[in-house]
């Protein structure tokens, strides 16, 4: 969540500024030719901020409505990501009753230093990790942007504990890495990485991407790849094989262009996928098929 680079906001029209202030969601884009997965979303936060969403007609069950809108544009599977004990419980419960949603559970790296009893919170996460519809451990990792030196020991202890949980339950590890590339790799090397590692909202350059690819990690690209000054991130996408690419929203954050600044949701994934196809020169159908197959391989079956 919020693991991306910063960038100066492009010039906004009066209507765009008004829409952003009102929390107005962007229009529904053209559907993808082959359905893909949103590998990282926060439905709980998105729905809490959902002013004038495109699923207004079904507020009796806003989760089902949000899932339905996404499916109409070719985003038929969602991974709901936990960032603390409460959101992890919420996601696990949602995944039990919503066939299109799977869950991951974890303590966000910026959450760990705030906890008075980290061990107890980790026990709660491990109890949820055993559930069948919980298919990943994350988002965990290191964040040197929002947490200073005083909190890094707790972050690292939490990260190491999550790595151990992922290995015990043979589930993918979903990593939040913000300004901490070298330390993330150091800790993974020290602990021994799980079989499957996903770099959520990949924010590194081509060199770091190549190192992650060499290690067999999956790189999940968010709307940040569409941003105007993200040339380095697009270079990273070009050195990543299609079968190691995932896409995500990190909704309600990181909305792809041309709607940056407005709330994000899973139905906007087509904008990121089309941008990736243009960036990498991939055939859109082939890229969608590869992303879909990788999503099933990492998190499935649904």
């Amino acid at each position: 969540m919020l693991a991306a680079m910063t960038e100066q906001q492009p010039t906004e029209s009066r209507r765009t500024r008004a829409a952003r202030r009102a929390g107005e969601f962007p229009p529904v884009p053209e559907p993808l030719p082959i359905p893909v997965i949103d590998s990282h979303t926060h439905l709980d936060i998105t729905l809490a901020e959902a002013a004038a969403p495109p699923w207004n007609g079904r507020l009796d069950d806003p989760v089902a409505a949000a899932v339905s809108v996404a499916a109409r544009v070719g985003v038929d599977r969602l991974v709901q990501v936990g960032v603390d004990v409460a959101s992890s419980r919420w996601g696990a419960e949602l995944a039990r009753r919503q066939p299109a949603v799977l869950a991951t559970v974890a303590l966000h790296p910026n959450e760990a230093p705030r906890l008075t009893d980290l061990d107890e919170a980790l026990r709660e996460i491990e109890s949820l990790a055993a559930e069948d519809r919980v298919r990943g451990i994350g988002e965990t990792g290191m964040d040197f942007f929002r947490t200073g030196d005083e909190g890094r020991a707790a972050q690292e202890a939490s990260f190491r504990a999550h790595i151990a949980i992922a290995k015990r339950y043979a589930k993918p590890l979903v990593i939040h890495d913000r300004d901490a590339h070298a330390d993330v790799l150091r800790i993974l090397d020290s602990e021994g990485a799980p079989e499957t590692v996903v770099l959520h909202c990949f924010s590194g350059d081509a060199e770091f991407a190549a190192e992650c690819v060499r290690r067999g990690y999956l790189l999940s690209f968010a709307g940040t790849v569409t941003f105007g000054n993200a040339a380095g991130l697009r270079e990273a996408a070009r050195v990543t094989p299609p079968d190691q690419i995932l896409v995500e929203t990190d909704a309600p954050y990181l909305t792809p262009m041309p709607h940056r600044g407005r709330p994000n949701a899973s139905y906007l994934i087509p904008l990121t996928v089309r941008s990736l196809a243009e960036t990498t020169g991939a055939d859109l159908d082939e890229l969608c098929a590869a992303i879909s197959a990788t999503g099933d391989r990492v998190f499935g079956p649904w």
Side-chain angles (χ1 to χ4, degrees):
M1 181 172 62
L2 292 175
M5 63 192 68
T6 59
E7 176 196 5
Q8 184 177 358
Q9 276 287 85
T11 302
E12 294 179 324
S13 68
R14 182 178 300 174
R15 167 154 177 81
T16 301
R17 287 196 300 272
R20 180 166 54 83
R21 287 195 298 270
E24 182 179 322
F25 281 73
V28 177
E30 180 183 353
L32 291 170
I34 296 172
V36 302
I37 172 182
D38 180 354
S39 73
H40 192 115
T41 190
H42 301 280
L43 275 165
D44 49 339
I45 306 173
T46 302
L47 295 173
E49 298 185 1
W55 53 85
N56 259 346
R58 293 191 54 193
L59 289 179
D60 56 313
D61 188 347
V63 170
V67 168
S68 176
V69 168
R72 290 208 308 267
V73 297
V75 186
D76 63 348
R77 288 150 290 163
L78 282 62
V79 179
Q80 163 65 24
V81 174
V83 296
D84 55 22
V85 170
S87 62
S88 294
R89 287 174 178 160
W90 188 89
E93 191 280 328
L94 173 63
R96 291 182 210 119
R97 62 182 174 81
Q98 174 52 255
V101 178
L102 295 173
T104 72
V105 298
L107 309 174
H108 190 281
N110 291 327
E111 174 74 6
R114 295 196 285 260
L115 294 170
T116 56
D117 192 340
L118 177 59
D119 289 340
E120 174 59 27
L122 287 167
R123 283 192 287 272
E124 292 267 9
I125 295 301
E126 180 151 14
S127 70
L128 293 167
E131 296 194 19
D132 175 66
R133 299 284 294 175
V134 171
R135 299 291 176 82
I137 308 303
E139 60 187 281
T140 181
M142 302 293 288
D143 187 320
F144 294 168
F145 180 79
R146 295 188 180 278
T147 296
D149 292 345
E150 72 284 352
R152 290 182 184 177
Q155 277 196 356
E156 183 164 335
S158 178
F159 186 23
R160 290 180 184 274
H162 283 83
I163 292 170
I165 293 170
K167 291 197 290 188
R168 272 197 293 276
Y169 291 91
K171 295 189 176 182
L173 183 73
V174 178
I175 293 179
H176 171 110
D177 163 23
R178 190 165 191 186
D179 296 348
H181 303 332
D183 284 85
V184 164
L185 295 183
R186 171 182 61 82
I187 295 165
L188 285 170
D189 289 346
S190 172
E191 293 293 323
E195 181 177 350
T196 303
V197 173
V198 178
L199 274 297
H200 138 65
C201 189
F202 186 79
S203 58
D205 59 14
E207 182 179 1
F208 183 57
E211 179 59 29
C212 292
V213 166
R214 185 185 67 79
R215 291 162 178 255
Y217 301 163
L218 287 300
L219 279 57
S220 184
F221 291 93
T224 45
V225 78
T226 72
F227 291 177
N229 75 339
L233 191 52
R234 287 186 283 275
E235 286 296 326
R238 292 186 187 103
V239 302
T240 306
D243 64 353
Q244 286 178 258
I245 288 178
L246 287 168
V247 290
E248 64 173 86
T249 54
D250 199 23
Y253 313 105
L254 308 180
T255 309
M257 296 296 287
H259 304 298
R260 189 180 180 197
R262 295 168 70 174
N264 201 3
S266 294
Y267 74 91
L268 295 171
I269 278 280
L271 299 174
T272 300
V273 175
R274 285 191 164 88
S275 176
L276 275 172
E278 181 178 351
T279 291
T280 61
D283 175 82
L284 180 61
D285 287 38
E286 292 177 359
L287 180 61
C288 289
I291 291 168
S292 182
T294 299
D296 283 345
R297 185 175 79 246
V298 173
F299 296 106
W302 257 255

